[in-house]
Amino acid sequence: MNLLTDQLPTAIDLEGREYEINSDFRTCLRVIMAFEDPELAAIEKRAVLIANLYREQPHNVELAYSEGVRFLNLGKHAEDGEGGDAGPRVYSFSKDAALILAAFRQTHGIDLTTADLHWWVFQALFMDLGGDTAFCNLINLRHKVKAGKASKEERAA
């Protein structure tokens, strides 16, 4: 799929039947944040994905879950290895929400509180947040700390 030439998906095909999905970035962020929640059991995380992503309860819940995860991964299967192993993520959509909001405004001129963005567009813009934002500076600092390459001052920060 090419973001520039193809229509963005708003439905998922499950066993020959199209199921309309909530492709808004807020819905997808709710699912991602549930996945990050250590208090939720795996079955609860699956239920959050199904309840939030699909507008109608699919019959094959296992397939709906795996295809829902594929949608969240921008059409790629996790086992494909596409995108490489970037290691553990050093940001949190819940903990860093204010910085992400500010970075979108600073880099793209988009107010996420009123924006209407498809999840895949949000992700493309998220990956292109400017290096001069507080969010990106924090991410760089966290990378240094995790890699053991941070100075004493950087670790204290």
Side-chain angles (χ1 to χ4, degrees):
M1 154 148 257
N2 185 313
L3 288 174
L4 299 174
T5 60
D6 299 331
Q7 281 222 300
L8 297 173
T10 57
I12 294 177
D13 184 289
L14 302 174
E15 300 175 322
R17 180 170 175 209
E18 292 272 312
Y19 286 87
E20 192 175 337
I21 56 170
N22 295 309
S23 59
D24 182 75
F25 78 97
R26 289 174 193 83
T27 299
C28 297
L29 284 173
R30 282 187 207 97
V31 174
I32 298 292
M33 288 188 281
F35 284 3
E36 294 173 346
D37 188 343
E39 307 261 327
L40 293 179
I43 191 82
E44 293 171 305
K45 293 175 183 185
R46 287 176 180 249
V48 168
L49 182 143
I50 300 295
N52 283 277
L53 194 59
Y54 292 92
R55 296 187 187 272
E56 177 186 344
Q57 176 76 33
H59 296 295
N60 186 335
V61 176
E62 286 302 315
L63 181 60
Y65 174 76
S66 66
E67 289 300 310
V69 168
R70 181 177 175 206
F71 172 79
L72 293 174
N73 288 331
L74 309 181
K76 299 173 183 115
H77 289 285
E79 59 273 4
D80 288 346
E82 294 183 46
D85 182 19
R89 199 166 67 186
V90 291
Y91 63 88
S92 164
F93 284 119
S94 40
K95 292 178 184 174
D96 299 324
L99 291 174
I100 293 168
L101 184 82
F104 263 82
R105 174 79 78 145
Q106 181 179 338
T107 303
H108 305 297
I110 295 173
D111 180 355
L112 290 179
T113 63
T114 58
D116 180 24
L117 295 173
H118 187 281
W119 172 243
W120 291 16
V121 172
F122 172 87
Q123 281 290 287
L125 295 169
F126 180 76
M127 297 310 293
D128 189 42
L129 290 176
D132 58 339
T133 64
F135 174 70
C136 288
N137 289 329
L138 179 62
I139 297 310
N140 289 334
L141 184 59
R142 287 177 182 165
H143 273 295
K144 282 184 175 181
V145 169
K146 285 202 182 273
K149 297 181 180 181
S151 69
K152 184 177 177 182
E153 295 80 18
E154 288 172 328
R155 281 193 305 277

